[in-house]
Amino acid sequence: MKKWYDNAVIYQIYPKSFQDSNQDGVGDLQGIIKRLPYLKKLGVNTLWLNPIYVSPQVDNGYDVANYYAIDPQMGSMADFEALLKEAHKFDMHLLMDFVLNHTSDQHPWFQDAIKSKDSIYRDYYIFAGENGKRPNNWASFFGGSVWEKDPLNTGEYYFHLFDKHMPDLNWKNPEVRHAMLDIARFWLDKGVDGLRIDAFIHVAKADLYQNFPGNIDPVVAEPFYANRPQVLEWMNEFSHTLKAEYPDVYLLGEASSADVTLANDYLDPNGAALDSVITFRYFTEDLSKLNPNFSDQYQPRDLDFEAFKQNQVVWQQTVDKPNLYLNNHDLPRIATRFAKNDNQAKMYALLMHLQKGTSVIYYGEELGLRNINIPEYEGDESVDRFVKEATEAGLTKDEAMDMVNQMHRLASRGPMLWDDSPYGGFSNVEPWIKGINEQNVSAQDQEDDPNSFLNFYRKLISLKQTELFAKGAYRMLNIPGKTYVYERHLDDQSAIVALNFDHHSIEIDTDKTDVLMVVGDYELHDGKLLLEPDSGIVLK
Ligand code: BGC
C-alpha cells in the first residue's frame, strides 16, 4: 500500500541549536516556525525534532521529566501546535523523538519510586542487588557502572544504561508498556506523523544476576542489554498497537548496533514491525593508524573505504529501504570526520543520498557545516580521562582537545549559521553551546551562489524525489581503487553515480550522456568518462 513516507526526505533538527526566537541563547519552536520557508525551499518534506519535552537537560532532552509538556526553554504547547499546523500547511510531516528506554530521575514516576519500596512506581524501574552489593559488573554507556545506589538507602541499586540521572524503565512491567503507548497516543492525537524511537534495542535485559566476562570492572556488556530477543516481542506489540490505531504513523527506530540481519528483524511485521531503522554500523573505520599508547575513543580515524563499500552494498542489497545518513547529533559531522575538502563533502552526499532508501539530512549538512571547537568540556569524565591519557603519552593538551573536537558528538551540535551577524543569525546572544565555528559560511551567503552547498543540496534533494532515484533498483559497479560507482535503474531508465576519492584520475565506460550533477572535473566523450581526483558526477 502506498504511504506518505515512501517519498520522505527527512531533515533532522536539533532544536536547541537551530533558531533562537526569544534571545535566550537556546533554539526554540517559534524559531523553527520562522525557518519553515527555508526548509520548504530546500525540498525536504519531513522534519524530525530531537527531544523537546520537559527535561533537566542532563543529556540535552533525552532525560525526560514530563512527556506531556514542552520544555519551557523551547516554548509552550501552543507553540508546538502552531509548529505542527504550519509544517502541515507547508506539506511537511513531523516526527517526534520518542524516548522509551529510560526517563529522567526527576520524572514523577522515579521520584515516587524512590520514596518507598511500596511505591506503585517502584516496578516501573529496575531495582536489584542487596546489602549494598551490586548485582553484576555491567558498565554504563556513559562510563562507570550501570548501577546507582537507591537514594532510599535500601541497599538496592537502580539500573541506568546511560547517565545515572536517566534510570531505565522496566519493560517487563506491562504497565510501563501501556504508559508508553499512552504517551505516543497523546502526540499522535495531536497530529504528529511519526516517531523516531530512541534506543529501543535496549529495552530488554538479560538475567541481572550474572557478570559479563572481562578483566575490567565494570565492563561494557552489550550482549546483555542490546538486541535481546524480547525487544522483538515488546516492540511488535508497541508498533502493531499504534499502527492499528494510526494506520499512517511512521516508526523510525534507532538501532545503533544493528547489522543487516537485525535490521530486517526490526523491520519485519512479525518482528519489531518498524518502518525504518537507523544503524551506526555504516561507517567502517580504519583503526590501524591509531596511537596505541592511549585510548582510541577520540582519536580521529579514516574511513576504511573498501570495507565501507562492501558494507554499503550489503545494506543496499539486503534491506528493503535503508536509512541513508551522513551525520547526526551523536556523531561528528562528516565534513570534519571523513571529507578531506569541500568537494569530498559533496561527493559523500551523492554517494549516500542517491542510493536506495530514505535520506535523513542533519541540519547544517546542506551548508557543508563542520564541527565546532568547544574550548572546555568541563567535568566530562570521558574527555578528562582521554586528555589525561593522551598528555601522559606525550601530546599537548591542545592536541588532545583538538582530537576531542574532531570526534566528540557535542561538536556536531553547533548553532545553525543563517547569516553573517555575530552569532550567525542563530541568536543575538551567546548560544547555549560554547563552541566556535571557524567556517565563514551561512545560508544567506549560499542562497544565490550556484556553486554553493545549499544549491547543491537543493538539486540533490529534488533528484532524490524523481521516480528513478526514489524507486529504482541499485547495483554497485566494481571500479578498483578509492572509487564509489553505482547504477540506479527503473524500467527503461537508468543513471550512474560515479565518485573518485582517489589520488589519480579514473576512466569508466558509459553510454550515458546527460549530466545531472557534477562535483570537480570530468571529461565525457566517445562513451568514456574521465573523472579527476576529488570529483564526482551523476549521469543519465
Ligand atoms: C540518542 C543519544 C542519547 C541516548 C540516550 C540515543 O541513542 O540518540 O543522543 O544520549 O539515546 O537517550
Side-chain angles (χ1 to χ4, degrees):
M1 217 191 340
K2 220 177 141 6
K3 292 287 187 193
W4 69 263
Y5 45 80
D6 292 343
N7 287 329
V9 178
I10 303 172
Y11 188 86
Q12 180 189 352
I13 295 182
Y14 200 71
K16 288 178 89 170
S17 296
F18 196 58
Q19 175 71 71
D20 177 16
S21 76
N22 63 347
Q23 313 311 335
D24 62 356
V26 182
D28 48 49
L29 302 181
Q30 284 296 338
I32 300 174
I33 296 177
K34 177 174 158 202
R35 297 300 182 178
L36 288 174
Y38 167 87
L39 296 169
K40 184 72 188 169
K41 190 163 179 198
L42 180 59
V44 296
N45 54 25
T46 306
L47 308 178
W48 149 29
L49 308 185
N50 286 98
I52 53 173
Y53 315 99
V54 173
S55 162
Q57 305 288 328
V58 168
D59 188 20
N60 288 302
Y62 283 97
D63 47 322
V64 181
N66 181 355
Y67 289 91
Y68 293 100
I70 304 294
D71 193 281
Q73 281 189 315
M74 290 184 224
S76 63
M77 191 57 86
D79 293 329
F80 178 77
E81 284 162 0
L83 168 60
L84 187 59
K85 198 163 155 207
E86 285 303 304
H88 284 166
K89 265 199 220 155
F90 279 97
D91 283 329
M92 285 189 219
H93 294 90
L94 192 92
L95 312 179
M96 293 289 272
D97 219 305
F98 196 72
V99 190
L100 47 59
N101 175 69
H102 45 266
T103 69
S104 158
D105 61 356
Q106 300 306 305
H107 193 287
W109 295 338
F110 191 74
Q111 287 298 310
D112 201 88
I114 55 172
K115 272 204 193 111
S116 148
K117 273 186 103 167
D118 299 328
S119 159
I120 54 167
Y121 292 108
R122 188 82 178 171
D123 198 35
Y124 271 46
Y125 295 91
I126 303 169
F127 287 91
E130 54 186 352
N131 302 326
K133 194 170 170 322
R134 296 188 172 101
N136 61 45
N137 66 345
W138 307 353
S140 146
F141 284 143
F142 283 12
S145 166
V146 295
W147 296 105
E148 185 67 19
K149 270 200 178 119
D150 176 6
L152 192 58
N153 276 328
T154 54
E156 292 185 342
Y157 293 79
Y158 70 85
F159 186 105
H160 63 91
L161 193 48
F162 298 95
D163 191 274
K164 67 176 184 220
H165 297 292
M166 297 155 73
D168 279 47
L169 286 161
N170 175 19
W171 268 68
K172 272 191 187 159
N173 180 351
E175 281 180 39
V176 166
R177 307 204 295 270
H178 293 158
M180 281 296 143
L181 279 167
D182 280 342
I183 295 166
R185 288 184 183 107
F186 172 82
W187 292 99
L188 294 169
D189 285 343
K190 284 200 178 291
V192 160
D193 302 288
L195 308 173
R196 177 269 186 188
I197 306 175
D198 182 61
F200 77 89
I201 61 171
H202 303 299
V203 291
K205 280 86 178 165
D207 173 3
L208 300 175
Y209 291 94
Q210 59 184 324
N211 285 333
F212 192 73
N215 295 330
I216 44 167
D217 186 355
V219 59
V220 173
E222 274 204 77
F224 283 173
Y225 44 59
N227 304 304
R228 310 274 316 156
Q230 267 166 324
V231 172
L232 291 177
E233 182 189 325
W234 293 332
M235 290 309 294
N236 183 284
E237 175 190 20
F238 181 84
S239 303
H240 280 295
T241 307
L242 290 184
K243 285 187 173 281
E245 295 169 32
Y246 307 90
D248 286 334
V249 67
Y250 177 60
L251 301 177
L252 167 61
E254 184 213 22
S256 49
S257 51
D259 57 14
V260 282
T261 310
L262 274 171
N264 277 334
D265 288 346
Y266 293 142
L267 296 169
D268 186 343
N270 296 316
L274 299 170
D275 298 302
S276 189
V277 294
I278 305 176
T279 180
F280 279 40
R281 293 281 162 96
Y282 270 0
F283 302 97
T284 40
E285 295 172 326
D286 175 5
L287 306 180
S288 65
K289 296 190 198 85
L290 302 190
N291 187 331
N293 299 325
F294 58 100
S295 152
D296 66 6
Q297 187 174 13
Y298 297 116
Q299 292 192 45
R301 67 280 316 261
D302 285 337
L303 189 62
D304 179 341
F305 208 81
E306 197 63 35
F308 172 69
K309 267 163 90 165
Q310 290 174 351
N311 195 17
Q312 283 300 301
V313 88
V314 170
W315 277 85
Q316 286 288 307
Q317 301 301 353
T318 317
V319 176
D320 186 32
K321 224 166 174 234
N323 199 277
L324 308 173
Y325 71 96
L326 295 167
N327 307 278
N328 65 40
H329 66 292
D330 288 328
L331 297 171
R333 287 183 179 270
I334 192 92
T336 301
R337 189 179 179 196
F338 296 132
K340 307 274 180 248
N341 49 47
D342 283 353
N343 269 16
Q344 287 199 3
K346 288 179 178 167
M347 289 158 66
Y348 277 113
L350 296 178
L351 183 164
M352 183 57 71
H353 295 303
L354 289 179
Q355 298 190 115
K356 187 186 78 170
T358 305
S359 286
V360 184
I361 291 163
Y362 185 50
Y363 81 102
E365 176 182 331
E366 75 277 21
L367 305 180
L369 285 197
R370 297 199 275 268
N371 282 1
I372 54 172
N373 281 326
I374 300 183
E376 298 287 345
Y377 286 81
E378 278 156 32
D380 185 314
E381 265 177 52
S382 65
V383 173
D384 291 348
R385 196 175 50 238
F386 178 83
V387 172
K388 185 166 176 283
E389 284 178 25
T391 47
E392 279 168 8
L395 269 73
T396 64
K397 188 171 178 227
D398 283 351
E399 285 166 342
M401 284 310 294
D402 190 48
M403 288 187 164
V404 172
N405 273 314
Q406 286 187 61
M407 293 294 290
H408 202 286
R409 64 181 189 162
L410 259 191
S412 75
R413 302 177 183 175
M416 179 68 172
L417 298 183
W418 296 106
D419 60 37
D420 299 335
S421 59
Y423 298 112
F426 162 72
S427 180
N428 294 340
V429 302
E430 203 181 6
W432 68 280
I433 190 162
K434 306 278 171 274
I436 296 150
N437 190 318
E438 279 156 9
Q439 289 170 281
N440 189 14
V441 300
S442 73
Q444 192 183 52
D445 286 348
Q446 295 195 8
E447 176 63 34
D448 298 321
D449 172 0
N451 296 319
S452 69
F453 268 95
L454 182 56
N455 283 311
F456 179 86
Y457 262 79
R458 285 173 175 154
K459 221 191 251 174
L460 172 64
I461 292 166
S462 98
L463 195 54
K464 171 92 194 160
Q465 282 157 325
T466 57
E467 282 242 300
L468 173 60
F469 286 97
K471 293 195 193 137
Y474 170 101
R475 187 184 300 138
M476 187 179 273
L477 307 178
N478 185 28
I479 308 290
K482 221 171 160 188
T483 67
Y484 198 102
V485 184
Y486 62 96
E487 198 174 74
R488 300 291 311 269
H489 49 98
L490 179 74
D491 306 326
D492 57 353
Q493 298 185 65
S494 70
I496 64 163
V497 179
L499 306 160
N500 181 14
F501 291 87
D502 228 322
H503 297 301
H504 51 80
S505 54
I506 56 167
E507 201 176 85
I508 302 168
D509 291 332
T510 180
D511 56 357
K512 315 259 179 290
T513 50
D514 191 4
V515 179
L516 302 181
M517 291 190 73
V518 184
V519 180
D521 301 313
Y522 73 99
E523 280 173 39
L524 180 64
H525 39 74
D526 306 328
K528 293 225 177 292
L529 168 69
L530 184 83
L531 209 46
E532 295 300 333
D534 287 346
S535 300
I537 196 163
V538 184
L539 285 174
K540 202 171 158 184

